[in-house]
Amino acid sequence: MALRPVQVNIKALDHAAVGRFWAEALGWSVFSRQTTYAGPGPDFVWPDPVAVGIDVVAVPDPKTTTNNRVHLDLATTSAAHQAELVDRLTGLGATPADVGQGDVAWTVLADPEGNEFCVLEPREIYRDTGPIAAVVVDCADPRAMARFWGEATGWTPHQVTDELAALRSAQGTGPYLEFLRTPGGKTVPDRVHLDLLPGPGDDKAAEVARLRALGATDLDLGQGDVGWTVLADPEGHEFCVLALP
């Protein structure tokens, strides 16, 4: 039994505009439902077997926190590619962001509604991830987070230290899931979170019970009677367990 991260959920005032931004940023297509979904290829069928898509959901309130506790890192293949991507993203509406990064090799930007992300310098580890190199989660204890999320997803640890822990699918495909030791704690609901899906033949209720036994807690964000279950990991990051299609 394991749950697969299938999409990054981003809250936005204008879900259509933010969804279009991320689709163009990643070279993907837009699929509109009640939300705006960005996924690879014009013939995308949810869920993609490898990629982690982006689902942009409308909310009534703007982003108020300085830095999100969850963000995306984008992969590049060369210094020229990094510079070209930064220029292209800026043309699409991204803006420079200062999250206290100092003088670093990567570029920190924000999408049109202020959600921070990084355009990384070329790194060999991300050569085959696709456009999203990693989903990065700020936390106090990367080792503990890696244990919880590794058990939740069945993903394989690639690096586990006091400062950074990285997981990837057992098949070695798609982006990494990384936990970065970061000062400060979570104080408001996440603007960005992961949505997980049970595997074929797995029972959603049994998976949710398993997550609770691992340390997840139930969370009421006013979602009402919906087909997914909202939980929080041991450090309070929200995530959703979706129903099988």
Side-chain angles (χ1 to χ4, degrees):
M1 293 171 53
L3 289 149
R4 185 168 77 85
V6 291
Q7 60 197 32
V8 175
N9 184 296
I10 299 177
K11 298 178 177 66
L13 290 172
D14 188 341
H15 69 88
V18 173
R20 286 194 302 271
F21 168 85
W22 279 105
E24 293 186 38
L26 301 172
W28 286 356
S29 299
V30 171
F31 304 88
S32 293
R33 305 174 293 179
Q34 292 179 329
T35 63
T36 300
Y37 195 91
D43 300 320
F44 172 78
V45 176
W46 187 90
D48 186 90
V50 174
V52 175
I54 295 181
D55 194 33
V56 185
V57 178
V59 293
D61 301 313
K63 179 176 181 285
T64 57
T65 54
T66 303
N67 301 332
N68 286 335
R69 301 287 290 178
V70 180
H71 73 267
L72 297 180
D73 281 353
L74 305 189
T76 63
T77 57
S78 67
H81 180 209
Q82 182 187 15
E84 182 275 332
L85 183 56
V86 169
D87 286 345
R88 186 168 67 82
L89 293 169
T90 302
L92 291 173
T95 53
D98 185 351
V99 295
Q101 69 269 23
D103 184 15
V104 293
W106 57 91
T107 302
V108 184
L109 299 173
D111 75 12
E113 292 202 9
N115 299 297
E116 304 87 3
F117 64 97
C118 298
V119 180
L120 301 179
E121 75 285 4
R123 301 184 192 181
E124 180 65 17
I125 191 174
Y126 302 131
R127 70 189 183 281
D128 61 351
T129 59
I132 301 176
V135 180
V136 184
V137 181
D138 293 347
C139 66
D141 189 342
R143 291 183 184 275
M145 290 286 276
R147 285 193 297 271
F148 171 82
W149 282 94
E151 290 284 347
T153 63
W155 281 22
T156 303
H158 283 254
Q159 177 184 359
V160 180
T161 72
D162 290 341
E163 299 301 319
L164 175 69
L167 308 175
R168 198 182 190 195
S169 75
Q171 293 74 33
T173 56
Y176 287 78
L177 178 57
E178 298 181 351
F179 303 97
L180 180 65
R181 185 180 178 89
T182 307
K186 184 174 179 300
T187 57
V188 298
D190 290 328
R191 197 77 176 174
V192 180
H193 72 256
L194 279 170
D195 287 342
L196 310 182
L197 187 68
D202 287 343
D203 180 73
K204 175 177 173 284
E207 284 293 283
V208 169
R210 186 175 68 86
L211 291 172
R212 292 185 183 118
L214 292 173
T217 53
D218 292 283
L219 200 60
D220 185 353
L221 298 175
Q223 66 268 20
D225 185 15
V226 292
W228 57 91
T229 301
V230 184
L231 300 171
D233 71 18
E235 290 202 13
H237 299 93
E238 301 90 358
F239 65 96
C240 295
V241 180
L242 307 179
L244 287 165

